Amino acid sequence: MTVEEFEEFYAQAVTRLTGQLYVMLGDLHEAQDVVQEAFVKGWSRRRQLDRDGQPEAWIRTVAWRLAVSRWRFRRRTSEAWRRGGAPPAVEGPEPDHLVLVDALRELPPQQRRTLALYYLCDLSVEQVAGETGLSSGTVKTHLSRGRAALADRIQDPRIEEAPGD
């Protein structure tokens, strides 16, 4: 099956196969996911699909098997949770944590990543540089600018504003 033939096959069969798997599974999103994944697997077997002469049956079978594998995984995971007991209750975040998260979201992604690696993951400047592909100087710049930006965005509750500010 050529690239063009596979694309034509996909265009003609994807909706039908998704509908069939939806009926079999009872979950439209799951059906869409497994059909797409089956087509991805079928792409690398285009020539074999052509020789077998039943590419739609192959895609449908692969999609079904993918769904069954997902069910088994979920069941094993569920059983493991039951055996291990429920996870401990976790309290919600404190208001100051929410303020910090909101402030971090306003930073550029690379600056936010650098701050997280340095402060949360406890990596050195050199380790952050190695993981991000940045120079040590650039990491230091991101850290400095990130701290300054956070200081501007986060008000220290211990400091009261003077009247009229």
Side-chain angles (χ1 to χ4, degrees), residues 2 41 62 64 71 81-82 92 97 119 127 131 136 149 165:
T2 66
K41 291 179 180 295
V62 169
W64 174 256
W71 289 337
W81 278 109
R82 276 196 299 277
H97 288 114
Y119 289 106
Q127 289 171 317
E131 190 164 321
S136 294
D165 281 347

Side-chain angles (χ1 to χ4, degrees), residues 19 21 54 106 109 116 119 124 126 133 149-150 164:
L21 268 294
Q54 295 186 359
E106 295 177 19
Y119 289 106
S124 68
E126 291 74 26
L150 288 176

Side-chain angles (χ1 to χ4, degrees), residues 6-164:
F6 188 86
E7 289 173 349
E8 184 178 328
F9 163 60
Y10 174 83
Q12 291 175 355
V14 68
T15 303
R16 181 173 48 253
L17 286 164
T18 301
Q20 293 166 358
L21 268 294
Y22 173 45
V23 171
M24 291 179 206
L25 303 173
D27 183 330
L28 178 60
H29 296 292
E30 183 75 4
Q32 291 169 329
D33 286 349
V34 294
V35 169
Q36 288 300 317
E37 193 172 338
F39 269 106
V40 169
K41 291 179 180 295
W43 173 258
S44 61
R45 298 172 163 248
R46 291 186 315 275
R47 288 177 181 80
Q48 181 182 347
L49 288 176
D50 194 29
R51 277 185 264 128
D52 293 344
Q54 295 186 359
E56 195 166 323
W58 188 90
I59 296 290
R60 187 174 34 256
T61 301
V62 169
W64 174 256
R65 289 178 180 162
L66 288 166
V68 169
S69 293
R70 289 178 178 195
W71 289 337
R72 288 179 180 149
F73 175 77
R74 287 186 199 118
R75 189 183 71 224
R76 285 191 306 268
T77 303
S78 176
E79 288 170 359
W81 278 109
R82 276 196 299 277
R83 280 192 310 270
V90 177
E91 292 184 29
E94 297 290 325
D96 56 337
H97 288 114
L98 295 175
V99 170
L100 176 60
V101 169
D102 287 341
L104 284 166
R105 284 185 181 138
E106 295 177 19
L107 299 178
Q110 189 62 47
Q111 203 172 73
R112 185 172 58 240
R113 180 180 181 207
T114 303
L115 286 166
L117 289 171
Y118 186 78
Y119 289 106
L120 296 177
C121 300
D122 202 27
L123 300 182
S124 68
V125 169
E126 291 74 26
Q127 289 171 317
V128 173
E131 190 164 321
T132 60
L134 301 171
S135 70
S136 294
T138 302
V139 169
K140 291 176 184 176
T141 299
H142 281 310
L143 291 172
S144 175
R145 289 181 182 167
R147 284 189 296 262
L150 288 176
D152 288 344
R153 289 175 171 84
I154 298 175
Q155 185 69 28
D156 189 341
R158 296 173 294 185
I159 301 172
E160 293 184 33
E161 289 186 36

